[in-house]
Each structure stands twice: as C-alpha cells, then as structure tokens.
Amino acid sequence: MFNKKSITDIDVKNKKALVRVDFNVPIKDGVVQDDTRIVASLPTIQYLLDNGSAVILFSHLGRPKDEPDPKYSLRPVAEYLKTLVSVPVYFVDDCIGPEAEKASQQLKPGEILVLENTRFYKGESKNDLDMAKKFAALADLYVNDAFGSAHRAHASTEGVARYLPAVAGFLMEKEIRYLGQAIADPKRPFVAILGGAKVSDKIGVIENLLQKADSVLIGGGMANTFFKAQGYEMGDSLVEDEVLDIARQLIAKGTGKLRLPVDVVIANAFENDADRKVISVGSIPDGWRILDIGPETIKNYSKVIAKAGTVVWNGPMGVFEMPNFARGTFDIAKAVAESKAISIVGGGDSVAAVNQSGLAEKITHISTGGGASLEMLEGKELPGLAALMDKE
Ligand code: AMP
C-alpha cells in the first residue's frame, strides 16, 4: 500500500537530513498559538536525532508576498521547538544561500537547525529548480514529513526531491496509510461525510467517493446547492448557482448513495441570536437561510455512521462557529467518535469541531492536512509524495 521509502529504509547516521516539515502554525505577537503540527513532526525529528543525523528543518508559514516579512518568520517556531526537545536548536534567517550553508556546515549530529520561511522567495511556489538545488546543497538526504503541503509541487516539497535521496517521514507515512487504505481498500460499509460551505470545492471529491464509498452524507452550506438543484427556493441561504447543473448530475449519479438532509435549522439573520426554527426540507422563505442540519437528519446520519466500517469526514454540518448552529456538527462528531468504525477526520473546521468536543482521542486518525487529504479523497496523486523514492 505505502510504496515509498521512509526514513527507516535508509542509513541516516552522520548524515545531514533536510526535513520538510509543516510548521505552518498560527502565531500571534511572536508566540505559537497551536502546536499540533509541531508536535506531529516530533517522531520523525526524534528518530533522526537518535540515529545520528544532523537535522535541518524547513517549512513555509502563511502567505508572505515572495519576500522576507518578519510577520511570517519561523523564528518563534524555532524558539517553541526548544521547549519540546532536549538538544540544541539553532535558527538561521534564510532558507538558502551563504548563511544557511554556513549554518548547515557547522551543524553536528544530534543538533537541529531551523531555516527561515521558504516562501520568502518566489522560487518556492514556482518550483524553481535553481532554488531546489540550493536546498539540496544544504544536506545529504531529504525527508518529506509535510503531508499538509504534499499536494503542492513547490521547490521545498517536489523540486528538492530530484536532487537528493528522498524519503518519507513518519507523519507522511501515517497520513498516506490511513487515507490511502480508506480509499483503496476500506472496511465496509464505507461512509463519507462531507460538509462545509461550498460544493464547488468538493465536486471531484464527491465524484470519487460516489464510486468508492457506500454512503455519502452531505451537510453544511453545500447541501443548499443540491436542494436548489432539486427545485426548491433557498431564500437567503448560501447557494452556488454556477454549479447547479453539476449538482443535478451528482444527484443522478449518486442514487442510493448520496444522502441529503431531510430537515434543517433556518434563521432570519446570519447571527447566533437570530430567530431560528427547524423545518423539513422544502422551499425556504425570503429573509431566512439554512444554517445547520436538523435533528431528524442528525438521527438518520448517526444511524448510518454507527453501522460503518470506515468513516471519512471533511467539513462542518453547519455554521458551527455560532453555538446555536453548531449542534449538527457536534452531534455528528459524537456519532463518529462513538462508532466502532475506522474514523478519519480531515479539514481544519471538522478537526476543530472534534477537538472542541473533546472527542479527538476516539477518532482513529485526525489528518494534519486539509487540502492534501481532500486531494487524496479525490483520487489525485500528491506531487510531494510522488517525488519520493519508491520502495524496491
Ligand atoms: P469549508 O472551508 O468549505 O470546509 O467550509 C467551512 C465553513 O462552512 C464554516 O466556516 C462554516 O461556517 C460554513 N458553513 C457550514 N454550513 C453553512 C451554511 N449552512 N451556510 C453558510 N455557511 C456554512
């Protein structure tokens, strides 16, 4: 299933290992706000340190405009990392060039060097091969542990792998194993739950899952476009008129598999304290909008989830940021956590919902990559993974 070489397949002793991590974490006033992604990269870092590598870490952070911008510096991440490991952690304020090369040359086995944000150069997102070569010049081998960036062909995720022996880290391997298995050989019934604001973001995912899964349960704003495609008026609900035809085609293809809410919570304003009521699905009056799935839908979906062998969930069932419209999302989180299925949750909002509900421990696998996990569910090849060496 996982056919790429990983760090355990090669000799890392006394090697300089250039590790692409996903340190794209929220930072406020120079302080890391959520360390999930940093912690998730520790097993790979620790393995390399324990086995005699000098570890050079690099990552993007946020969306700087192709030039250095202190707001997006990785220095706070390097500082934070010092509190998690017991070895020296150095930081250099460039990711290529003489300063980075000097710091890399001085780095000894058992030490960590954090490079500055890769997106301070425009070559990063253009997958500029000169930049990739400069990365490669810093090390003896390349490890990609940044699953969250693996769907991008950037210099630090794809280009660099052409110039060094390139292997996967433990996080990358774990993500691919869970998601890959769910898609290729799921324990059945395989139930996919898809929510979030827009259908247009997830057309490919729905198409692929209608082939692979036994049930596809739809919630969130995207359900509205399906309702409109069925001929209902949607009042002030979020609807994507430009994909109504596609929604109709998906409904036709999805007969017997694609399930839409049977009831919804509507509100007379996009506010937590708006008047709200539960109605069966039908036309929505002007001035009202759908903001959550209803109790009957929660009950129906929960039954399907309870019988599942595999559950994959991406996207909230309603506007869960507002407590009065969060019930659908939290009750579905509960149903997923309580089911005996292999459960995989991806996408920032559904992961946040699972974390907030205190049920994260009951989920088999929480993906660290929203976009990357969606592309896997869509059946696409991830360039950052494809670029790694194949297992013999
Ligand atoms: P996405 O990034 O596509 O996963 O969408 C997540 C966003 O969808 C969240 O911010 C939710 O508030 C929003 N959302 C979910 N359901 C609805 C709805 N019925 N109407 C408007 N927005 C929604």
Side-chain angles (χ1 to χ4, degrees):
M1 182 74 242
F2 183 76
N3 59 358
K4 292 294 178 181
K5 280 195 181 171
S6 91
I7 39 177
T8 53
D9 295 322
I10 55 165
D11 182 15
V12 300
K13 195 168 162 58
N14 291 325
K15 299 275 169 37
K16 290 206 161 79
L18 179 64
V19 187
R20 178 57 160 94
V21 282
D22 182 4
F23 279 171
N24 183 28
V25 295
I27 292 176
K28 201 172 155 200
D29 301 328
V31 181
V32 172
Q33 302 294 303
D34 180 341
D35 68 355
T36 311
R37 287 176 169 166
I38 305 174
V39 171
S41 71
L42 288 178
T44 294
I45 295 171
Q46 201 58 52
Y47 174 89
L48 290 167
L49 293 171
D50 292 347
N51 286 279
S53 297
V55 177
I56 305 166
L57 304 175
F58 70 147
S59 174
H60 78 283
L61 173 70
R63 292 179 186 271
K65 294 199 168 48
D66 295 336
E67 59 182 20
D69 179 344
K71 211 167 84 196
Y72 297 106
S73 173
L74 274 160
R75 189 184 286 275
V77 180
E79 291 302 319
Y80 189 86
L81 187 61
K82 286 181 188 168
T83 67
L84 299 178
V85 294
S86 53
V87 303
V89 178
Y90 303 103
F91 176 78
V92 60
D93 58 8
D94 208 342
C95 63
I96 49 171
E99 290 295 310
E101 278 164 27
K102 197 168 125 212
S104 155
Q105 277 155 18
Q106 287 171 352
L107 194 71
K108 296 196 228 10
E111 297 180 340
I112 296 174
L113 171 67
V114 179
L115 306 178
E116 186 54 287
N117 195 339
T118 55
R119 284 196 186 161
F120 284 180
Y121 291 91
K122 71 167 178 282
E124 162 69 332
S125 45
K126 294 202 161 25
N127 200 5
D128 176 72
L129 294 184
D130 283 336
M131 183 165 182
K133 280 184 201 153
K134 287 180 185 161
F135 284 139
L138 301 173
D140 306 307
L141 57 98
Y142 171 71
V143 179
N144 193 346
D145 211 22
F147 174 73
S149 300
H151 57 312
R152 310 222 184 271
H154 288 180
S156 70
T157 59
E158 202 276 343
V160 61
R162 305 183 195 192
Y163 302 109
L164 286 174
V167 298
F170 292 132
L171 176 62
M172 177 73 88
E173 182 169 351
K174 188 169 145 210
E175 294 269 11
I176 303 294
R177 276 191 195 282
Y178 277 111
L179 283 155
Q181 170 93 24
I183 292 290
D185 185 20
K187 190 165 173 238
R188 293 190 182 273
F190 173 19
V191 177
I193 313 163
L194 295 174
K198 295 180 172 175
V199 194
S200 55
D201 292 342
K202 292 175 191 161
I203 292 165
V205 177
I206 300 174
E207 275 179 343
N208 193 39
L209 288 175
L210 282 176
Q211 292 175 34
K212 303 273 159 71
D214 300 294
S215 301
V216 178
L217 313 179
I218 302 285
M222 69 156 75
N224 307 345
T225 301
F226 286 104
F227 294 144
K228 185 152 183 188
Q230 290 175 320
Y232 297 120
E233 293 303 325
M234 282 292 103
D236 288 6
S237 302
L238 176 77
V239 173
E240 290 175 279
D241 286 314
E242 61 285 5
V243 293
L244 283 174
D245 280 340
I246 293 174
R248 263 178 226 115
Q249 288 161 19
L250 290 173
I251 291 172
K253 273 191 218 160
T255 310
K257 283 192 179 179
L258 188 79
R259 295 189 54 170
L260 295 169
V262 292
D263 61 345
V264 288
V265 184
I266 61 171
N268 67 350
F270 194 83
E271 286 166 13
N272 186 48
D273 294 327
D275 288 342
R276 60 184 196 278
K277 48 188 174 187
V278 175
I279 60 162
S280 297
V281 166
S283 284
I284 308 298
D286 283 347
W288 291 74
R289 77 245 329 112
I290 300 174
L291 294 185
D292 198 6
I293 57 174
E296 203 52 37
T297 306
I298 294 173
K299 212 162 75 190
N300 296 346
Y301 283 7
S302 298
K303 275 190 204 151
V304 178
I305 293 165
K307 291 191 198 128
T310 305
V311 177
V312 169
W313 179 22
N314 187 299
M317 297 288 100
V319 184
F320 79 111
E321 297 92 336
M322 300 186 204
N324 283 335
F325 306 100
R327 190 170 155 207
T329 301
F330 285 110
D331 283 2
I332 292 300
K334 200 158 156 254
V336 174
E338 281 171 357
S339 91
K340 295 195 174 60
I342 297 161
S343 50
I344 301 164
V345 179
D349 288 317
S350 6
V351 171
V354 165
N355 285 332
Q356 282 170 35
S357 64
L359 299 166
E361 274 177 26
K362 296 194 165 168
I363 305 293
T364 315
H365 179 64
I366 297 185
S367 178
T368 53
S373 65
L374 275 178
E375 293 211 5
M376 277 201 76
L377 294 178
E378 203 172 332
K380 283 191 182 161
E381 181 177 71
L382 306 179
L385 180 69
L388 305 178
M389 294 188 295
D390 290 327
K391 266 206 166 99
E392 274 125 31

